[in-house]
């Protein structure tokens, strides 16, 4: 399952094994072609193939992962290692390259990362939900006191004053809207079912006016 092939000092393919034929798809026509043909167009434009050879020549070895291109144009995620080949005098006379298809491993890693991200988001949302539920309950208790006091003040208001009654009605309506908000907060916290109703928007606007 490994593609193994030899390159000359300029990076042209000198020979390669059956694994390379199976993995990449080229036959003998690849001989004499620069190995950059196996890289993506983006890598070739940015000079990656030559940079890899220079690194291998300087360090003795270069390894990494990235997209590679088969003869039919399809891409696969490759784990590639390239080593410099030297003669008895220590001079570089070519390179040995090994390529392995690790696409499935990459997909598995990406799936695992997505699962981890989803778990983190779920945990954050659970924490926010718990906090929201606690705040909503406390806020609901405060609104209950406010509503009760406003209702008592409205009943005990003497003498009758229409302007003060309107002010009290507005305050009560505001407190009721606050109670509706706490219901939505509790629904977000999964502590109470949300019960949507049809709203007459013009009537709502007139009421606010």
């Amino acid at each position: 399952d490994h593609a193994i092939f030899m390159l000359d000092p300029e990076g042209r393919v000198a020979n390669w094994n059956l694994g390379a034929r199976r993995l990449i798809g080229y036959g003998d026509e690849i001989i004499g072609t620069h190995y950059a043909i196996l890289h993506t167009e983006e890598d070739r434009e940015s000079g990656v193939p030559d940079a890899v050879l220079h690194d291998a020549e300087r360090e003795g070895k270069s390894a990494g992962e990235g997209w590679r291109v088969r003869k039919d144009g399809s891409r696969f995620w490759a784990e590639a290692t390239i080593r410099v080949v030297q003669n008895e005098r220590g001079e570089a006379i070519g390179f040995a390259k090994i390529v392995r298809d690790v696409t499935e491993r990459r997909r598995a890693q990406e799936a695992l990362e997505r699962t981890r991200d989803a778990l983190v988001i779920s945990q954050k949302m659970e924490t926010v939900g718990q906090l929201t539920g606690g705040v909503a309950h406390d806020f609901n208790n405060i609104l209950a006191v406010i509503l009760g006091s406003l209702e008592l003040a409205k009943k005990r208001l003497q003498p009758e004053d229409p302007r003060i009654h309107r002010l009290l009605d507005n305050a009560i309506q505001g407190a009721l809207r606050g109670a509706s908000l706490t219901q939505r907060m509790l629904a977000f916290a999964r502590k109470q079912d949300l019960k949507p109703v049809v709203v007459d928007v013009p009537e709502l606007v007139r009421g606010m006016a």
Side-chain angles (χ1 to χ4, degrees):
D1 62 343
H2 288 66
I4 304 173
F5 47 99
M6 304 299 296
L7 309 176
D8 68 13
E10 284 71 41
R12 294 186 293 266
V13 178
N15 61 73
W16 63 1
N17 71 340
L18 184 61
R21 290 172 180 261
R22 284 198 301 261
L23 177 60
I24 304 173
Y26 289 100
D28 292 337
E29 74 272 17
I30 193 71
I31 303 302
T33 304
H34 197 279
Y35 93 107
I37 196 174
L38 309 178
H39 283 258
T40 64
E41 184 177 350
E42 301 85 25
D43 282 354
R44 294 198 299 271
E45 289 177 353
S46 58
V48 170
D50 289 334
V52 170
L53 291 182
H54 292 154
D55 288 344
E57 189 171 7
R58 185 179 63 253
E59 305 293 337
K61 174 185 175 182
S62 178
E65 294 187 5
W67 290 110
R68 297 294 184 269
V69 183
R70 296 186 177 92
K71 181 180 179 180
D72 62 7
S74 62
R75 295 188 177 194
F76 65 99
W77 189 259
E79 180 183 73
T81 302
I82 187 167
R83 294 177 181 273
V84 67
V85 178
Q86 299 174 331
N87 60 18
E88 61 276 5
R89 295 187 298 276
E91 300 168 339
I93 60 172
F95 302 90
K97 186 171 179 63
I98 301 174
V99 177
R100 188 162 67 99
D101 184 355
V102 292
T103 305
E104 290 303 319
R105 187 186 72 186
R106 174 180 168 82
R107 288 174 180 166
Q109 289 174 340
E110 290 175 342
L112 179 60
E113 289 172 2
R114 288 194 297 269
T115 302
R116 287 174 176 170
D117 291 343
L119 178 60
V120 170
I121 293 173
S122 175
Q123 290 172 336
K124 287 182 179 179
M125 292 301 292
E126 183 178 359
T127 301
V128 171
Q130 291 173 349
L131 177 63
T132 303
V135 171
H137 278 299
D138 292 341
F139 191 40
N140 214 32
N141 292 336
I142 294 171
L143 285 174
V145 174
I146 294 173
L147 278 169
S149 299
L150 288 172
E151 293 288 354
L152 289 173
K154 185 178 179 180
K155 289 179 179 178
R156 296 180 181 180
L157 184 63
Q158 295 293 338
E160 291 289 333
D161 188 333
R163 291 173 300 177
I164 295 178
H165 272 279
R166 282 198 299 272
L167 290 174
L168 288 173
D169 287 339
N170 288 338
I172 291 171
Q173 288 299 317
L176 290 173
R177 291 193 180 101
S180 176
L181 175 61
T182 61
Q183 290 177 358
R184 291 193 289 273
M185 291 171 67
L186 287 169
F188 172 75
R190 305 195 196 107
K191 296 185 180 297
Q192 189 176 47
D193 291 334
L194 191 63
K195 296 180 180 178
V197 296
V198 177
V199 175
D200 185 339
V201 177
E203 183 64 30
L204 179 64
V205 173
R206 284 193 293 272
M208 289 190 290

